[in-house]
Amino acid sequence: MRIRIFDTTLRDGEQTPGVSLSPEQKLQIARMLDELGVDAIEAGFPVISEGESKAVKMIATAGLSADICGLARADKRDIDAAADAGLDYVHLFIATSDIHLKHKLMMDREEAVRRAISSIEYAKSRGMKVEFSAEDATRTERGFLRDFFKQVAEAGADRADIPDTVGYSTPAYMAEITRDAVEATGLPVSVHCHNDFGLAVANTISGLQAGATCAHVTINGIGERAGNASLEELVMALQCLQFDEARSTGIHTEKLYGTSRAVSGLVGIQVQPNKAIVGENAFGHESGIHTHGVLSNPLTYEPISPELVGHTRRLEVGKHAGLHGMNAMLGEYGVKPTAEQSKVILSRVKALGDQGKKVTDVELLSIAGEVIGEPGLRRMVQLSGFSVSTGIGTMPYAFVKLNVDGKEFSATDYGVGPVDASLSAMQKITGEIAEVRIREYGLASISGGSNALCEVTIGVEDAKGNKASARSVGEDIVTTSVQAVIDGMNRIMLKKMLGGKKTRG
């Protein structure tokens, strides 16, 4: 069975607290979604602002392959706004649960049905296809919901949608009301699930198994409160898990990780490291037992290949590490210690792990260099001097001194903030001496309070296009940013120096 993927990142996803996209950013994301292979894009809610209407119109006229849809209440003004934005497909909705009818809409069930029918007829008169949602369907009295969908179909709706508006359903109940809607309408049925209880993807799958043919999803599962069903999780579950009937989508899965990172950057919401499918740790291994198994056959501890979703496998070392994984990491740099040297290196790695310290591959190489007597296996770049100056009425200023392969270099620069000034000063040194430039920078808070920890991720690239990334965690944003850049530079310079090089041992 072919499942239709209806992406609402640009509408429900943008309703995430703190997220606001410009028309140009929305068009940029819409193009990514189209390249990803989604069947429909909910471009926005045209009536809410001039900018939103402009964004929807830009997307509707961009020549994308996906169906372009806009949200509208069961109201002529909303429908006109959608039509005037150039849409021929509208997602209409009205609440059907008693709690919404009484406390939000102040109307009875009969009036809600009349409004729904009237809005469908008006939208059809304006030449639009209609997908109709019974908002808060999972808290609506089941008999009324079934009758409501029947009348929506008779009024001329082209599709029916079941929203689990506050994530209140269980998979079993979602299956029951989906079967009701399919039987009552004879229309293609969609399911739109929220993640308040962590069941959005499970409820979506249950609805699809019960007869729905379309899933409403967002990239990274973003959305109001706890978010929506995650596109990447749902698509890979449908493709890879064991179902009684095969289900496919038109998604180009190798683009999932790249799309996830791009959307994350544009909306300003960091993807949690342990996020399924697209998190940084989704294919990361430290445990000796796991790395040994993965090196023998990746399927031992990975349900799918990371390449299938455009991701990469990552081995790390720490107190849980084993010899196989550690030696595999060293082997990437052409470093091959003897059996005895490996044991010594591993014992030192574990000692650092027991102290709560993260051991990067740069640190691993430095330890290995000391053990096997290779002075070249060390940090190529070290911070030897650093200061920043900032304040009200003065432009932030930074001084940075780096030791690059035994030679001292220093630079100063201004910036829009202390971090920008520091990175600009470092860029002066690295661009001139090591031909390494900073290409990506990400910042996220990972704890609360006045002494919150921040996480900085950095991407660097040399003149030949070789890339490396690094992550640093600390209390001070400026210092943590500088350290992340230095780690990234060390990685790319060591890889360039040691790539394919044989070492003693």
Side-chain angles (χ1 to χ4, degrees):
M1 178 189 293
R2 174 68 156 75
I3 300 300
R4 185 170 186 258
I5 298 298
F6 179 110
D7 185 278
T8 182
T9 300
L10 296 176
R11 199 277 301 171
D12 218 342
E14 196 192 12
Q15 290 175 204
T16 303
V19 173
S20 184
L21 298 167
S22 69
E24 292 73 22
Q25 288 173 320
K26 294 191 77 164
L27 178 59
Q28 185 179 350
I29 292 175
R31 291 189 190 281
M32 292 180 200
L33 295 172
D34 198 49
E35 291 176 3
L36 184 63
V38 304
D39 299 289
I41 297 171
E42 190 166 38
F45 197 167
V47 79
I48 63 171
S49 72
E50 289 184 13
E52 186 77 347
S53 179
K54 176 184 176 182
V56 172
K57 191 165 190 175
M58 287 170 64
I59 294 168
T61 58
L64 304 182
S65 298
D67 294 332
I68 308 302
C69 176
L71 185 71
R73 292 165 295 192
D75 182 279
K76 285 187 176 182
R77 179 169 166 264
D78 284 29
I79 295 166
D80 285 336
D84 294 344
L87 295 171
D88 60 7
Y89 175 20
V90 65
H91 178 197
L92 293 175
F93 73 97
I94 195 167
T96 53
S97 69
D98 289 337
I99 190 169
H100 274 245
L101 290 172
K102 179 180 179 180
H103 297 285
K104 185 182 76 172
L105 298 180
M106 279 79 77
M107 65 175 67
D108 59 22
R109 293 177 177 179
E110 289 72 25
E111 177 63 16
V113 172
R114 286 193 294 271
R115 293 276 186 96
I117 292 172
S118 175
S119 67
I120 293 168
E121 292 173 345
Y122 185 68
K124 299 296 284 188
S125 76
R126 294 223 53 180
M128 289 191 284
K129 293 177 292 184
V130 173
E131 180 157 348
F132 205 97
S133 280
E135 186 184 15
D136 206 24
T138 56
R139 292 193 296 178
T140 299
E141 193 274 317
R142 187 173 171 183
F144 172 59
L145 182 65
R146 182 185 176 95
D147 184 61
F148 178 87
F149 276 130
K150 184 175 185 296
Q151 295 189 66
V152 159
E154 291 171 349
D158 300 283
R159 293 178 171 274
D161 176 53
I162 305 171
D164 186 18
T165 302
V166 293
Y168 198 72
S169 186
T170 62
Y173 187 66
M174 180 58 72
E176 291 177 12
I177 60 175
T178 298
R179 282 190 286 268
D180 286 351
V182 171
E183 293 171 3
T185 66
L187 297 176
V189 171
S190 305
V191 286
H192 177 113
C193 299
H194 281 260
N195 205 40
D196 297 76
F197 287 87
L199 293 172
V201 172
N203 284 332
T204 301
I205 290 172
S206 186
L208 295 173
Q209 289 179 309
T213 56
C214 176
H216 287 204
V217 291
T218 62
I219 297 295
N220 298 330
I222 63 172
E224 290 190 88
R225 303 181 313 281
N228 292 48
S230 159
L231 180 149
E232 55 279 357
E233 293 176 20
L234 176 72
V235 165
M236 296 314 298
L238 292 177
Q239 179 169 320
C240 300
L241 299 186
Q242 300 167 355
F243 295 108
D244 54 357
E245 180 183 353
R247 289 170 172 82
S248 64
T249 68
I251 298 298
H252 304 296
T253 63
E254 72 280 0
K255 296 180 183 291
L256 285 172
Y257 178 72
T259 304
S260 165
R261 307 314 289 182
V263 170
S264 173
L266 284 168
V267 302
I269 295 180
Q270 194 86 354
V271 176
Q272 66 193 62
N274 63 329
K275 170 80 164 62
I277 309 299
V278 294
E280 283 303 304
N281 293 344
F283 299 94
H285 308 274
E286 182 198 325
S287 163
I289 295 172
H290 285 210
T291 54
H292 189 181
V294 166
L295 290 168
S296 298
N297 184 331
L299 290 176
T300 54
Y301 286 103
E302 290 176 351
I304 60 173
S305 165
E307 290 78 14
L308 188 60
V309 296
H311 212 329
T312 54
R313 180 176 301 110
R314 190 179 76 255
L315 303 181
E316 291 195 357
V317 290
K319 67 178 180 180
H320 304 103
L323 286 170
H324 285 83
M326 185 194 73
N327 283 335
M329 290 181 65
L330 290 173
E332 291 180 5
Y333 294 91
V335 180
K336 296 183 178 180
T338 65
E340 285 304 313
Q341 289 170 342
S342 294
K343 291 177 182 178
V344 175
I345 297 168
L346 183 61
S347 67
R348 292 181 58 176
V349 166
K350 287 179 176 289
L352 288 174
D354 283 336
Q355 296 172 34
K357 295 181 179 178
K358 176 179 172 62
V359 183
T360 67
D361 50 1
V362 176
E363 296 291 347
L364 174 62
L365 284 167
S366 179
I367 293 169
E370 293 176 16
V371 172
I372 67 177
E374 282 285 345
L377 300 181
R378 66 188 190 286
R379 282 180 170 270
M380 302 285 290
V381 182
Q382 298 186 62
L383 183 66
S384 53
F386 170 59
S387 65
V388 292
S389 176
T390 187
I392 297 174
T394 63
M395 193 169 187
Y397 169 88
F399 164 79
V400 176
K401 181 186 289 186
L402 299 180
N403 184 301
V404 181
D405 201 17
K407 298 180 181 179
E408 294 283 347
F409 299 92
S410 63
T412 57
D413 210 344
Y414 294 90
V416 295
V419 172
D420 183 52
S422 301
L423 299 189
S424 295
M426 294 182 72
Q427 185 75 72
K428 280 186 175 181
I429 300 172
T430 60
E432 179 182 347
I433 304 301
E435 295 185 310
V436 174
R437 67 182 182 89
I438 301 164
R439 61 180 180 85
E440 292 178 6
Y441 175 85
L443 172 66
S445 175
I446 59 175
S447 65
S450 59
N451 61 341
L453 290 175
C454 68
E455 176 189 66
V456 173
T457 54
I458 202 84
V460 294
E461 184 176 10
D462 68 12
K464 294 183 179 180
N466 298 310
K467 299 174 183 178
S469 60
R471 169 181 172 270
S472 185
V473 175
E475 294 182 356
D476 182 83
I477 293 174
V478 181
T479 305
T480 305
S481 299
V482 169
Q483 191 55 59
V485 173
I486 290 174
D487 285 347
M489 289 171 57
N490 273 299
R491 289 186 179 195
I492 200 167
M493 292 177 72
L494 279 165
K495 283 186 176 182
K496 184 161 57 173
M497 183 186 76
L498 297 173
K501 174 184 174 183
K502 302 297 182 182
T503 61
R504 288 185 294 131

